[in-house]
Amino acid sequence: GAGVSQTPSNKVTEKGKYVELRCDPISGHTALYWYRQSLGQGPEFLIYFQGTGAADDSGLPNDRFFAVRPEGSVSTLKIQRTERGDSAVYLCASSSPSGGDRKQFFGPGTRLTVL
Amino acid sequence: EDQVTQSPEALRLQEGESSSLNCSYTVSGLRGLFWYRQDPGKGPEFLFTLYSAGEEKEKERLKATLTKKESFLHITAPKPEDSATYLCAVLPSGGYNKLIFGAGTRLAVHP
């Protein structure tokens, strides 16, 4: 069906607030990834889900960041007590378990601005 | 430490002027090397996967090649619509499926 979708496309918040970013992967893709991209840089890995469980969360910068995928489809990235340094584009990607070329399909991203 | 370095950071070409983008990598075992294209305000769009040294893949005016330490993205007779940032990423072996990206090359093709 459709590609990876992310909402909202833009989010402006104030320092110290809580935000949630949503990712809807391609139907049937069991693997889901979150990356963060700062201006002028490549995406940086945050967390990888296989089904409902986080198989690798080694990229989460600190305990203010948390992600869930309760039913193995939609995922939510949650950021508590936001800081100005959290401002970036948050990208979500998904991949197929049968995809022999291991390619990840990316969504358009959520641009987070912390004032 | 797994690392990807892309050069140049930015490249300006005239329409029809062929050139190459470089991606150097150090990785503890390579499961795949990926090229993506990213337009402003959009997510990366998959172009190619390469798996082993000597492999080549082509798509329209783009050709990707791979050696044991680097990959090249050759652009033949580029057009203005090829203007974008080109990202290289590696998938290391022995771990999970996290891609390690370079910072990208910003390509501008002028008529």
Side-chain angles (χ1 to χ4, degrees):
Chain A
V4 177
S5 62
Q6 294 187 243
T7 54
S9 56
N10 281 283
K11 177 71 176 177
V12 180
T13 191
E14 294 179 343
K15 179 176 178 295
K17 299 289 188 181
Y18 168 83
V19 296
E20 290 189 351
L21 312 179
R22 175 188 167 108
C23 171
D24 202 337
I26 294 171
S27 178
H29 282 193
T30 57
L32 185 146
Y33 316 80
W34 284 98
Y35 292 83
R36 177 167 72 173
Q37 187 174 27
S38 300
L39 193 62
Q41 300 299 313
E44 180 184 21
F45 171 81
L46 295 176
I47 188 168
Y48 157 56
F49 286 90
Q50 183 57 256
T52 60
D56 181 359
D57 65 358
S58 62
L60 294 178
N62 52 59
D63 61 7
R64 295 187 297 107
F65 289 74
F66 189 71
V68 295
R69 195 185 185 199
E71 297 178 356
S73 179
V74 170
S75 176
T76 304
L77 179 65
K78 307 181 180 192
I79 310 175
Q80 298 178 322
R81 304 183 304 280
T82 52
E83 300 178 356
R84 293 194 179 86
D86 299 335
S87 296
V89 175
Y90 289 81
L91 295 164
C92 177
S94 69
S95 65
S96 168
S98 60
D101 57 9
R102 304 173 186 135
K103 63 187 178 190
Q104 298 178 19
F105 296 85
F106 283 81
T110 293
R111 180 175 298 279
L112 175 66
T113 303
V114 182
L115 302 177
Chain B
E1 181 185 349
D2 301 324
Q3 193 169 4
V4 178
T5 303
Q6 292 188 246
S7 61
E9 289 184 11
L11 181 62
R12 177 187 170 119
L13 298 174
Q14 289 298 121
E15 185 172 3
E17 179 187 2
S18 301
S19 188
S20 296
L21 282 52
N22 177 264
C23 170
S24 298
Y25 64 91
T26 54
V27 65
S28 52
L30 182 70
R31 290 167 59 198
L33 184 141
F34 300 78
W35 283 98
Y36 284 85
R37 169 189 171 131
Q38 187 172 29
D39 292 297
K42 298 192 175 181
E45 176 188 347
F46 172 80
L47 292 174
F48 304 109
T49 309
L50 301 167
Y51 296 102
S52 56
E55 189 174 0
E56 299 183 353
K57 288 194 176 172
E58 286 188 69
K59 179 181 177 180
E60 298 180 355
R61 295 177 292 282
L62 301 177
K63 179 173 148 181
T65 63
L66 181 65
T67 72
K68 287 188 177 180
K69 292 190 175 181
E70 58 191 351
S71 177
F72 292 93
L73 185 65
H74 308 277
I75 305 177
T76 302
K79 299 182 177 182
E81 53 262 41
D82 294 323
S83 298
T85 294
Y86 291 86
L87 295 165
C88 172
V90 296
L91 187 64
S93 61
Y96 294 105
N97 291 335
K98 64 180 180 185
L99 291 174
I100 298 172
F101 281 87
T105 293
R106 294 190 311 279
L107 174 65
V109 182
H110 296 268

